[in-house]
Amino acid sequence: MHQICILGSTGSIGVSTLDVIQRNPELFQVASLAANTNVDVIFEQCRTFSPRRVALVSEPHAKELAQRLNDANLSIEVLSGEAALCELVVDESTDTIMAAIVGAAGLLPTYQAIKADKRVLLANKEALVTSGKIFIDALKQSNATLLPIDSEHNAIYQCLPWAEQQHVGECQLKDNGVNKLLLTGSGGPFRTYPLADFDTITPAQACKHPNWDMGRKISVDSATMMNKGLEFIEAKWLFNVAPEDIQVVLHPQSTIHSMVQYKDGSVLAQMGNPDMRTPIAHALAYPKRVDAGVDNLDFFTTASFDFQAPDFERYPNLKLAIEACKAGQAACTALNAANEIAVEAFLNEQIKFTDIFKINETSVKKFVLEQVITIDDVLDLDGRAREFAITTLKAMQ
């Protein structure tokens, strides 16, 4: 039975992971949970799954949770602070880590999980975006296992030759007949929205994804297609390919989650209803298959498949991310940091939707030539890029 630690248990990925676990109690047990501040949700998760330990990054919220657990006669150890996340992932009684903390906050605990030889289910794409080579080098030097959770990367993984599935981070796809990775994306809610009206887009509009139920930050990233840009960078590192070997394909129906093109002309696609429990269940049980609670795809009622090339005038953030991927690690680290600041500002109605790109582009240009060699370099650049982005957005107000 796998002992699971879920980082980001109160978010959409965490909640979906717990749903899959609950459907397969003979295979998985929740060892620990971690979140930021959501006491109400994690308290109910504790009541349902009885983890041995939980952590909240916010100390006041951790104290509140500890009191509520005590009042409910639940004997669960409560930790607090960012260091507590790293403490949970290296616990010897835990073998599998669901890394689902959104943003750069998930970098260090995910990195520590790799160094501790854990089985890491990677939903935190920022770990590879901000520190790709460092992260993959650590993976190569460890006995850890890395399995992708993003629906696109999980789809590509499923379509690869079995032997290459065993070498995440150091695949040799060209030697095994793979010609190109086809990364699909829906195009978000503004695929046909008038470009002239982009300045008036509201957070509510941006968070209304046509196919997926996601958190607010990732929903905005999907609307700008920055999410696909970050996935582009992540795919480079996961599958050890050049940027030229990845192609973004708009597929509005979100039925085909991604594809692998082989040099003999074959294209293998992974399909299914748009539900994150499918890739989560695949990674949790790999190489077996288990019940994910997802309805089977009905080909008689499924909409026809449409495909388009991305319009970079409509999605400048996607183009910026691809360029950052080619430019190197500093550009990717700065891009991710700036984007987190810009999206938060947009959600708080401090800037316009189109200002997200302006802040991101300015930040990448500022830091593109920096050297990033160690995790400390990543964290330092991340902090400075955030400060620069904040200064930039203030100048816009």
Side-chain angles (χ1 to χ4, degrees), residues 130-282:
T130 61
S131 56
K133 185 178 187 302
I134 299 166
F135 194 90
I136 293 301
D137 283 348
L139 176 65
K140 292 176 181 178
Q141 294 163 14
S142 74
N143 292 314
T145 300
L146 188 65
L147 293 164
I149 295 297
D150 268 353
S151 61
E152 295 81 1
H153 303 104
N154 184 266
I156 290 169
Y157 182 88
Q158 292 193 51
C159 293
L160 291 178
W162 185 86
E164 290 306 288
Q165 292 179 1
Q166 314 311 307
H167 297 100
V168 170
E170 47 187 339
C171 300
Q172 298 298 321
L173 298 188
K174 293 289 186 180
D175 294 341
N176 286 275
V178 174
N179 187 42
K180 194 174 288 288
L181 306 182
L182 304 177
L183 199 63
T184 62
S186 70
F190 306 126
R191 185 175 56 85
T192 60
Y193 199 78
L195 277 171
D197 296 337
F198 267 40
D199 273 355
T200 65
I201 289 172
T202 67
Q205 289 175 301
C207 289
K208 194 173 182 180
H209 195 281
N211 301 329
W212 295 92
D213 180 17
M214 305 180 293
R216 282 165 60 81
K217 194 269 181 182
I218 195 172
S219 293
V220 175
D221 282 347
S222 180
T224 65
M225 284 202 77
M226 174 58 81
N227 194 47
K228 202 58 49 185
L230 299 180
E231 288 169 4
F232 188 101
I233 299 167
E234 185 181 9
K236 172 193 183 305
W237 291 110
L238 279 173
F239 305 114
N240 190 31
V241 294
E244 293 73 24
D245 297 327
I246 309 168
Q247 183 177 356
V248 176
V249 179
L250 292 194
H251 169 52
Q253 291 81 17
S254 296
T255 306
I256 296 175
H257 299 140
S258 275
M259 300 172 278
V260 174
Q261 185 180 76
Y262 286 81
K263 63 183 179 183
D264 63 1
S266 299
V267 176
L268 300 187
Q270 190 271 336
M271 297 184 286
N273 288 313
D275 191 316
M276 285 303 299
R277 289 176 297 176
T278 295
I280 289 168
H282 172 266

Side-chain angles (χ1 to χ4, degrees), residues 373-389:
I373 300 172
T374 67
I375 283 290
D376 287 340
D377 293 337
V378 171
L379 297 174
D380 175 67
L381 178 55
D382 178 83
R384 288 187 290 118
R386 288 170 190 274
E387 291 175 3
F388 181 78

